[in-house]
Amino acid sequence: MSIALKRIYEFPTAADGTRILVERLWPRGISKEGAAVDYWAKDTAPSHELRKWFNHNPERWEEFKRLYYTELDESLQAVEQLRSRLAAGPATFVFASREAALNNAVALKGYMER
């Protein structure tokens, strides 16, 4: 399983493979055509409450991941749908956050690769 990470505001390339949006809400200012998203995995995104609580606070990162992984463990159907997309070949999780290192796409990649 090969998963890359990329902001949705960066230009799509052929090297992206399957582009999977891992946000619950559609990113502002991006058209569906411009995003070139192959699959929107909104049901694997963190809950609204968890996302707001985390707010990209580095001190909450480990707790955010723990709580997010618990949410994912309870969303088996959505996780299995995502796994089947990843089994098809290289994929890129696209995300909206300006924070490149501490965001739900990074956490989801870790979850899927374990």
Side-chain angles (χ1 to χ4, degrees), residues 53-62 64 99 102:
W53 170 82
F54 172 51
N55 197 31
H56 301 290
N57 180 337
E59 295 173 5
R60 294 182 175 173
W61 175 243
E62 292 303 320
F64 167 77
E99 172 55 59
L102 305 177

Side-chain angles (χ1 to χ4, degrees), residues 2 4 6 8 11-23 26-27 30-42 81-82 84-86 88-95:
S2 172
K6 191 174 197 178
I8 196 159
F11 288 107
T13 66
D16 293 344
T18 301
R19 290 173 53 89
I20 302 171
L21 178 62
V22 294
E23 299 287 352
W26 190 266
I30 296 289
S31 70
K32 296 202 181 198
E33 297 79 29
V37 167
D38 299 301
Y39 180 63
W40 185 6
K42 61 183 160 188
Q81 287 176 350
L82 181 55
S84 69
R85 298 283 178 152
L86 294 172
T92 299
F93 285 169
V94 291
F95 59 93

Side-chain angles (χ1 to χ4, degrees), residues 5 7 54 56-58 61-62 64-65 95 97-110:
L5 300 172
R7 282 193 80 218
F54 172 51
H56 301 290
N57 180 337
W61 175 243
E62 292 303 320
F64 167 77
K65 286 194 307 184
F95 59 93
S97 176
R98 290 186 189 121
E99 172 55 59
L102 305 177
N103 65 57
N104 65 293
V106 172
L108 182 58
K109 180 179 192 258

